[in-house]
């Protein structure tokens, strides 16, 4: 399948296409310099849903998604503990651990997570299958200037990256909402059916940094 290579950036940044439909990010090597910085005008989130699709052969810990504010670097982070077969969802520096999810290597996976500040409950959906619902933190919104990063875990507001925590592989169909999607909507996302597009990320104002490729999706292989 011929892939359309739009971007290879080694040390500088570049804006993303306005329309990312049908495209995927490829992070081809372990690095503390390669990432995608997503822009949002949101200054407060009382609830959220994040969905994305990933393909990787990593057998170490890594973070496909992280959101930081100046006061809370782990305001919303999806982190994979490979050796223990766990996902940790960090919200406002608190974490919930989700075990025994069938995250196989060298396979496209659909991954979603939801949280709302009223109940404080977090849930993970892997390939359309829900995890247990777990309390993490409630009563406080995610507030302030938000920096959202794909493929790195932020230990400062927009930085502090560690190559040993970087995501290596492919990623596509990244969406973020300022509310919790229903189970049926998440199932439609997983099945690539009609679902509401995310309303948080401004793709036109977002950027890639380092060695990141934007390529055509491998549609025959996606879920």
């Amino acid at each position: 399948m011929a892939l359309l290579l739009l971007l290879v950036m080694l040390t500088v940044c570049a804006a993303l296409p306005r329309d990312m439909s049908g495209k995927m990010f490829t992070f081809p090597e372990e690095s503390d310099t390669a990432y995608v910085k997503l822009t949002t005008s949101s200054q407060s989130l009382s609830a959220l849903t994040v969905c994305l699709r990933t393909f990787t052969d990593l057998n170490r810990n890594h973070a496909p998604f992280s959101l930081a504010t100046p006061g809370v670097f782990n305001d919303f982070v999806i982190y994979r503990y490979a050796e223990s077969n766990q996902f940790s969802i960090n919200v406002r520096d608190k974490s919930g651990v989700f075990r025994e999810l069938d995250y196989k290597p060298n396979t496209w996976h659909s991954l979603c997570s939801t949280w709302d500040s009223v109940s404080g409950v977090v849930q993970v959906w892997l390939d359309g299958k829900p995890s247990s619902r777990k309390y993490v933190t409630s009563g406080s919104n995610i507030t302030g200037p938000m920096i959202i990063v794909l493929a790195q875990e932020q230990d400062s507001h927009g930085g502090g990256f560690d190559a040993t925590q970087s995501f290596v592989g492919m990623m596509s169909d990244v969406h973020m909402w300022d509310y919790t999607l229903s189970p049926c909507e998440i199932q439609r996302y997983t099945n690539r059916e009609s679902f509401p597009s995310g309303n948080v990320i401004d793709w036109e104002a977002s950027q890639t940094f380092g060695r990141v490729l934007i390529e055509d999706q491998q549609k025959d292989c996606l879920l």
Side-chain angles (χ1 to χ4, degrees):
M1 176 181 177
L3 297 179
L4 174 63
L5 176 60
L6 297 181
L7 182 65
V8 181
M9 297 302 296
L10 302 182
T11 59
V12 295
C13 65
L16 298 180
R18 185 172 185 175
D19 184 5
M20 285 294 297
S21 60
K23 304 298 180 183
M24 70 180 183
F25 298 110
T26 297
F27 305 92
E29 63 181 359
E30 183 175 291
S31 166
D32 62 359
T33 59
Y35 62 99
V36 178
K37 181 180 178 181
L38 304 179
T39 300
T40 178
S41 60
S42 297
Q43 293 285 308
S44 180
L45 292 172
S46 60
L48 61 82
T49 303
V50 173
C51 287
L52 46 84
R53 305 186 205 277
T54 62
F55 185 107
T56 185
D57 65 355
L58 286 175
N59 59 5
R60 60 160 172 77
N61 302 344
H62 57 277
F65 182 98
S66 68
L67 183 158
T69 56
V72 184
F73 303 147
N74 294 317
D75 238 340
F76 191 83
V77 180
I78 300 175
Y79 196 86
R80 168 71 176 167
Y81 288 98
E83 291 187 2
S84 55
N85 192 29
Q86 297 176 352
F87 276 95
S88 174
I89 307 298
N90 296 292
V91 186
R92 307 211 41 77
D93 268 341
K94 305 293 193 302
S95 63
V97 176
F98 299 85
R99 301 175 176 86
E100 300 302 325
L101 300 177
D102 192 18
Y103 192 76
K104 297 177 181 177
N106 294 315
T107 301
W108 277 104
H109 291 288
S110 167
L111 177 63
C112 296
S113 182
T114 60
W115 167 79
D116 76 84
S117 62
V118 176
S119 69
V121 169
V122 171
Q123 190 167 24
V124 174
W125 298 74
L126 182 62
D127 300 332
K129 298 178 180 179
S131 71
S132 296
R133 291 169 54 81
K134 296 189 176 182
Y135 177 83
V136 175
T137 185
S138 62
S140 175
N141 293 357
I142 296 173
T143 57
M146 301 176 195
I147 295 180
I148 302 168
V149 168
L150 303 180
Q152 300 284 350
E153 196 269 326
Q154 300 177 69
D155 285 330
S156 65
H157 188 224
F161 304 143
D162 182 344
T164 64
Q165 296 177 326
S166 64
F167 173 84
V168 181
M170 292 91 81
M171 190 181 303
S172 70
D173 299 319
V174 180
H175 288 266
M176 185 174 179
W177 298 261
D178 59 2
Y179 58 92
T180 58
L181 261 62
S182 69
C184 290
E185 289 171 323
I186 291 176
Q187 193 66 54
R188 289 199 293 270
Y189 169 87
T190 299
N191 295 338
R192 304 181 66 82
E193 298 170 351
S194 177
F195 63 90
S197 295
N199 64 351
V200 173
I201 298 168
D202 180 357
W203 285 103
E204 192 172 8
S206 299
Q207 297 174 309
T208 65
F209 292 80
R211 194 185 299 274
V212 181
L213 315 180
I214 298 178
E215 302 176 299
D216 289 336
Q217 287 185 9
Q218 299 172 334
K219 293 183 179 180
D220 292 341
C221 304
L222 288 172
L223 291 171

